[in-house]
Amino acid sequence: MSDHCASCGKADANLKACKACKLVKYCGVECQMAHRAAHKKACREKARELFDVQLYAQPPKREECPICMLTLPYSDDESAYMECCGKTLCKGCAYCLMRECCPFCNRADPTSPEETMKWLSERIEKSDPMAMVILAIYHRNGLCGLPVDQSKAFELLQRACELGSAAGHFNLGISYYNGVGVEQDKKKAVHHMQIAAMMGHMDARHNIGISELNNGNYQHAMKHFMIASKCGYQKSLDHVKQGYKRGLVTKEELERSLRGYQEACDETRSEQRDQAALIRARERE
């Protein structure tokens, strides 16, 4: 990158780079605005390239369950949030603790919806984004004795996103996509889903893949499915297998996806988690 202003040509050690593309530098806002027409196309192309590098990167590993110390699964369905203290456990440890006091704060399970709401309110006062997401879902669906309030749900999800919650971005994306609590805006829906995916939310990643598939962007869809497969996401692996049969995925890509899927499953599997999965399966029957 040159140390000369792209607009006026002035050399200065304190020039500021274009925030979108990082390709050029400017003296300030005036020079940047003056050069906008000439730079706009190249800027958009480079910004898109930089964004795609982030979007299609394998996400960071999730934190460990604070009890069994095994990596938490990427799927939110396989983790349990403790409203009492804000800890996130794997479902295996959560099922083992049923009807017992929380090992972190020594509270017993809530005995009423009012107590659950009290605990969530306490967590929200401490700026806990996951508590905001859960309360938003309660408002959106009229759960835990609350009336349906889509506007309140949307407000809570926005706050969770500001605090860097992947689940917040995922659920806000759903709100925008369906026009629930806000005017429908599919571009914003995709934007929030993409942020959630880059933060490691595999439900968001899979949904983006489905959207790309439906829009005929098959290669982009397969990229998302392969990333999610390597994180142990079964539904995405199924799409990778279908993609291989249709010639959209190479043999090497399929093999990498299968190996990554197995490694992710082995890393997050335990006897307790397998038992919890069986219990959930029986509950759904």
Side-chain angles (χ1 to χ4, degrees):
M1 188 188 299
S2 172
D3 287 328
H4 292 75
C5 175
S7 181
C8 68
K10 179 182 176 181
D12 191 331
N14 296 317
L15 296 176
K16 295 183 179 179
C18 173
K19 291 182 179 180
C21 69
K22 316 296 183 186
L23 287 174
V24 294
K25 294 181 178 180
Y26 297 104
C27 298
V29 176
E30 290 185 5
C31 281
Q32 187 172 10
M33 294 300 293
H35 191 241
R36 184 180 180 187
H39 178 56
K40 187 176 180 180
K41 183 178 179 181
C43 182
R44 284 186 174 178
E45 290 176 354
K46 186 62 178 179
R48 181 73 247 180
E49 179 185 327
L50 292 173
F51 181 79
D52 282 351
V53 169
Q54 292 180 297
L55 181 61
Y56 294 115
Q58 201 65 28
K61 286 187 178 181
R62 294 198 68 181
E63 61 188 14
E64 296 175 342
C65 170
I67 293 181
C68 67
M69 304 305 291
L70 292 174
T71 303
L72 287 169
Y74 280 96
S75 175
D76 286 343
D77 289 340
E78 296 178 36
S79 299
Y81 174 79
M82 306 292 283
E83 294 95 341
C84 51
C85 59
K87 299 290 186 182
T88 299
L89 313 181
C90 70
K91 281 290 178 70
C93 290
Y95 273 101
C96 287
L97 290 172
M98 287 177 68
R99 294 178 294 280
E100 293 185 20
C101 292
C102 173
F104 302 101
C105 67
N106 206 35
R107 284 177 169 177
D109 285 343
T111 56
S112 66
E114 290 76 19
E115 191 171 13
T116 298
M117 293 302 300
K118 180 185 175 183
W119 289 0
L120 284 174
S121 296
E122 289 174 359
R123 295 305 309 166
I124 290 172
E125 286 177 7
K126 295 179 180 179
S127 298
D128 184 335
M130 196 63 211
M132 296 174 191
V133 172
I134 290 173
L135 187 55
I137 293 171
Y138 287 171
H139 278 296
R140 187 164 66 190
N141 299 308
L143 301 175
C144 207
L146 292 173
V148 173
D149 189 337
Q150 304 295 358
S151 296
K152 183 63 176 178
F154 184 78
E155 177 188 328
L156 285 163
L157 291 175
Q158 283 186 310
R159 289 176 61 192
C161 290
E162 290 168 2
L163 292 169
S165 168
H169 282 289
F170 171 68
N171 281 279
L172 197 61
I174 292 174
S175 295
Y176 273 117
Y177 188 86
N178 295 321
V180 176
V182 66
E183 185 178 348
Q184 187 179 51
D185 190 326
K186 293 192 176 182
K187 285 186 178 181
K188 286 186 178 180
V190 170
H191 171 71
H192 285 286
M193 285 287 178
Q194 288 175 332
I195 294 175
M198 288 187 283
M199 295 174 72
H201 199 290
M202 287 306 112
D203 292 320
R205 175 77 67 181
H206 183 77
N207 283 0
I208 296 170
I210 293 295
S211 177
E212 294 284 21
L213 198 65
N214 291 338
N215 290 330
N217 301 321
Y218 302 122
Q219 292 304 321
H220 289 172
M222 291 303 132
K223 284 183 180 180
H224 288 295
F225 292 142
M226 285 188 281
I227 290 170
S229 296
K230 293 172 187 174
C231 293
Y233 203 89
Q234 177 68 58
K235 292 179 182 178
S236 288
L237 181 62
D238 292 340
H239 279 284
V240 174
K241 292 176 181 178
Q242 290 297 319
Y244 174 68
K245 291 178 181 179
R246 296 173 60 186
L248 302 172
V249 173
T250 66
K251 183 179 179 181
E252 290 75 17
E253 288 172 331
L254 174 62
E255 290 175 348
R256 285 198 296 269
S257 295
L258 289 168
R259 282 196 301 270
Y261 174 81
Q262 192 59 54
E263 288 170 4
C265 289
D266 291 343
E267 190 176 80
T268 59
R269 178 169 289 149
S270 72
E271 184 177 345
Q272 290 177 333
R273 294 182 183 186
D274 288 344
Q275 289 174 351
L278 287 173
I279 293 171
R280 295 200 305 277
R282 292 194 195 105
E283 290 174 348
R284 288 193 292 265
E285 291 177 353

